[in-house]
């Protein structure tokens, strides 16, 4: 089995920073792309940032220049550094990764359970 476990969410004032982590564990052969999504109440889920196995990154326009995605391949962990937070960043943040399990021939998408980020004005 494979699990993704997020941590680092919480309550912060506007202008503050938070760092989210998402660690993949279990019978992992390799991890391809890793992503952060978010969903605010009453809104559709939004892809926030993506990082490839080689370190290439992509961001939603709404977070460019404020958020930074990174990964530690040795730890199968992805991070999201969030700076200059705004109330509109309030959402449940969820990580997603394309993982090939030991003994498997293909990559499958796995999800964490999400972590709440609340930004007060």
């Amino acid at each position: 089995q494979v699990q993704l476990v997020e941590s680092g969410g919480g309550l912060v004032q506007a202008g503050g920073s938070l760092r989210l982590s998402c660690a993949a564990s279990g019978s992992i052969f390799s991890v391809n792309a890793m992503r952060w999504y978010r969903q605010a109440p009453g809104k559709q889920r939004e892809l926030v940032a993506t990082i490839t196995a080689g370190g290439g990154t992509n961001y939603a326009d709404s977070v460019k220049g404020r958020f930074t995605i990174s990964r530690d391949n040795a730890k199968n962990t992805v991070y999201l550094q969030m700076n200059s937070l705004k109330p509109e960043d309030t959402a449940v943040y969820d990580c997603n990764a394309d993982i090939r399990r030991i003994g498997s021939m293909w990559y499958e998408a796995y999800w964490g359970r999400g972590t709440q980020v609340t930004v007060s004005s």
Side-chain angles (χ1 to χ4, degrees):
Q1 286 188 344
V2 172
Q3 283 187 320
L4 297 183
V5 178
E6 298 107 336
S7 60
L11 173 64
V12 65
Q13 287 189 332
S17 298
L18 282 175
R19 188 191 192 210
L20 305 183
S21 300
C22 173
S25 63
S27 302
I28 297 172
F29 180 80
S30 66
V31 182
N32 202 351
M34 304 183 85
R35 307 170 188 86
W36 285 99
Y37 286 82
R38 68 184 181 185
Q39 187 166 20
K43 294 187 176 181
Q44 288 189 332
R45 186 167 60 192
E46 175 188 22
L47 175 59
V48 175
T50 301
I51 186 165
T52 66
T57 59
N58 196 29
Y59 298 92
D61 288 342
S62 58
V63 306
K64 280 181 182 176
R66 301 188 298 121
F67 290 10
T68 302
I69 189 171
S70 61
R71 63 191 288 168
D72 183 333
N73 290 331
K75 296 181 180 180
N76 290 328
T77 299
V78 62
Y79 306 95
L80 187 67
Q81 178 67 43
M82 305 184 294
N83 298 328
S84 302
L85 282 161
K86 304 175 182 180
E88 51 263 43
D89 294 318
T90 295
V92 175
Y93 285 71
D94 203 356
C95 69
N96 159 274
D98 298 331
I99 297 174
R100 181 179 170 186
R101 290 180 293 121
I102 295 172
S104 177
M105 296 295 291
W106 52 81
Y107 286 89
E108 300 172 78
Y110 289 86
W111 292 86
R113 292 191 174 185
T115 185
Q116 177 70 44
V117 171
T118 303
V119 184
S120 63
S121 58

